[in-house]
Amino acid sequence: MIEKYMKRAIDLALTAKGRTSPNPMVGAVIIKGGKIVGEGCHKKAGTPHAEVNAINAAGKNAKDGIIYVTLEPCCHQGRTPPCTKTIIKSGIKKIVIGMVDPNPIVSGKGIEELNGAGIQVSTGLLEKECKRLNEVYIKYITSKKPFVLLKVAMSLDGKIATCKRESKWITSEPSRELVHNLRDEVDAVMVGIGTVLQDNPNLTVSLKRGNVKNPIRIIVDSQLRIPLDSNIIKSASASRKSQKSKVIIAVTKKVDTEKADMLREKGINIIEIEEDNKRINLPNLMEELGKMEITSVMIEGGSELNSAALESGIVDNVIFFIAPKIIGGKEGVPAVGGRGFEKLSDSLNIRDVTVDRCGNDIVVEGYLK
């Protein structure tokens, strides 16, 4: 019976998916007399947290109520005041927490403060679901690196383009719409320079519904080969004051400094990253992105970037859209390039695999770590 209230809190938290970074998604529900008297979610970093919104919605009914919250309430002054103080002041008698906050400045301390104020505390209700809700936040707050999703759209025989490099469109329209929804939810999308040169993408969000956001666009371009008239550069220049259109190009130190300066003048953020066999060191790039408070990255790269990302160990989650098409040919572009593994025992195993349908396509998703 009580699980339904935590499920409701999770559903509330999900309404702000892609909007709370670098904060977690949090939902809260207040029960009194067997009825919901207040509920809320955290909508955006810098705005009131879920518990405060739920208490404000409940008003005087919060007193002697029970609050269900997906994450341990904060107990420190950040962009907003500590939620523990508001909960204590409201007169709530019991709190049910989905998961302990992994943030070291909160972890266990919020629970301790609430217990010390005489509020009954229970933890671990639907803990697995609450952790899945905030897998991005957990990765970021514990490692200071973004959660990385690798997205691949391929044919049934594992090709992402024909021998003539034709790739539009392998998967169905519903799958492409789902990818745009994923872009709307992550902080950033990342491609290699090969994809830019071949496809000249925008990497923006195109959805019929309103209230969408464009992700930060990251280009892995060790030699700074990106054309000044590419769609990504033009769109960034046209709206350089908008955080939503921010573009980051990762380069090595051996680049044309004059061109780099020209791009900076257009509002492009050029960051120098260590080399790894004449390529961008991807783990080092993730560290730099973490310093920028980028908590999630979706890789929409080509064959070589996909391979490099998997080999470097930066990928947390994979999602493969598989179209019922056979492209064939030795010259067709494989989903994952590189040399590959010599032994099956060395291959990467995916866990917690789910299989679904999207239009005519099969969608396979799972985790690497």
Side-chain angles (χ1 to χ4, degrees), residues 301-364:
S303 182
E304 294 307 310
L305 181 58
N306 291 347
S307 173
L310 289 167
E311 288 177 5
S312 69
I314 66 170
V315 179
D316 298 286
N317 182 221
V318 297
I319 181 166
F320 279 60
F321 293 84
I322 306 170
K325 298 175 182 177
I326 297 175
I327 292 176
K330 293 182 179 180
E331 302 301 321
V333 183
V336 180
R339 183 177 178 179
F341 298 105
E342 294 182 358
K343 298 178 181 179
L344 280 175
S345 58
D346 295 332
S347 61
L348 300 174
N349 291 311
I350 310 300
R351 63 174 178 81
D352 295 340
V353 175
T354 60
V355 181
D356 208 344
R357 293 287 299 272
C358 187
N360 290 325
D361 304 327
I362 299 169
V363 183
V364 179

Side-chain angles (χ1 to χ4, degrees), residues 171-184:
T171 52
S172 64
E173 187 174 341
S175 290
R176 297 197 297 274
E177 183 177 352
L178 180 52
V179 170
H180 279 270
N181 275 290
L182 290 172
R183 287 182 185 174
D184 177 65

Side-chain angles (χ1 to χ4, degrees), residues 69-325:
V69 61
T70 55
L71 183 72
E72 177 183 5
C74 66
C75 54
H76 67 289
Q77 177 69 47
R79 294 173 179 172
T80 56
C83 291
T84 48
K85 298 288 191 293
T86 303
I87 293 170
I88 294 168
K89 186 178 179 180
S90 73
I92 282 173
K93 67 178 182 180
K94 180 179 179 180
I95 181 168
V96 181
I97 298 169
M99 63 169 284
V100 175
D101 193 335
N103 187 342
I105 64 175
V106 177
S107 188
K109 299 179 181 68
I111 291 172
E112 184 179 349
E113 183 177 342
L114 294 169
N115 264 323
I119 296 175
Q120 183 182 346
V121 181
S122 174
T123 61
L125 181 64
L126 299 186
E127 183 178 30
K128 182 179 179 180
E129 291 83 351
C130 290
K131 286 183 175 179
R132 180 60 59 88
L133 168 73
N134 274 313
E135 60 188 7
V136 168
Y137 170 74
I138 293 170
K139 167 74 183 293
Y140 173 72
I141 207 67
T142 57
S143 71
K144 300 303 179 184
K145 298 177 185 178
F147 182 93
V148 179
L149 163 64
L150 175 67
K151 181 234 90 183
V152 175
M154 68 181 195
S155 63
L156 196 59
D157 57 337
K159 300 292 195 298
I160 61 173
T162 68
C163 60
K164 298 293 186 180
R165 299 302 187 265
E166 182 184 350
S167 60
K168 294 183 178 180
W169 298 102
I170 290 177
T171 52
S172 64
E173 187 174 341
S175 290
R176 297 197 297 274
E177 183 177 352
L178 180 52
V179 170
H180 279 270
N181 275 290
L182 290 172
R183 287 182 185 174
D184 177 65
E185 294 171 357
V186 297
D187 287 352
V189 296
M190 185 169 82
V191 299
I193 183 59
T195 297
V196 176
L197 296 175
Q198 181 65 38
D199 299 335
N200 195 21
N202 288 297
L203 300 178
T204 50
V205 175
S206 179
L207 293 168
K208 294 178 182 178
R209 62 177 172 81
N211 189 31
V212 298
K213 70 172 182 64
N214 288 318
I216 295 168
R217 292 164 290 173
I218 303 166
I219 316 301
V220 178
D221 185 6
S222 60
Q223 300 176 46
L224 199 57
R225 293 188 290 153
I226 191 167
L228 297 177
D229 62 349
S230 64
N231 287 335
I232 288 174
I233 300 302
K234 288 192 293 187
S235 64
S237 300
S239 53
R240 59 184 299 177
K241 293 182 180 179
S242 172
Q243 180 69 17
K244 293 181 180 180
S245 64
K246 184 175 181 180
V247 173
I248 297 170
I249 303 180
V251 301
T252 61
K253 293 181 179 179
K254 301 174 183 179
V255 295
D256 184 337
T257 55
E258 185 177 344
K259 184 176 182 180
D261 289 340
M262 289 175 62
L263 288 166
R264 289 189 179 101
E265 289 177 5
K266 293 177 179 291
I268 310 300
N269 187 2
I270 307 292
I271 57 173
E272 291 186 357
I273 303 296
E274 294 177 4
E275 279 190 38
D276 182 10
N277 293 324
K278 297 182 179 180
R279 295 183 176 184
I280 296 294
N281 183 307
L282 294 178
N284 184 249
L285 174 57
M286 293 303 112
E287 290 178 6
E288 293 303 311
L289 297 179
K291 292 175 184 176
M292 299 178 188
E293 292 193 332
I294 294 175
T295 67
S296 59
V297 175
M298 180 166 69
I299 297 175
E300 295 194 63
S303 182
E304 294 307 310
L305 181 58
N306 291 347
S307 173
L310 289 167
E311 288 177 5
S312 69
I314 66 170
V315 179
D316 298 286
N317 182 221
V318 297
I319 181 166
F320 279 60
F321 293 84
I322 306 170
K325 298 175 182 177

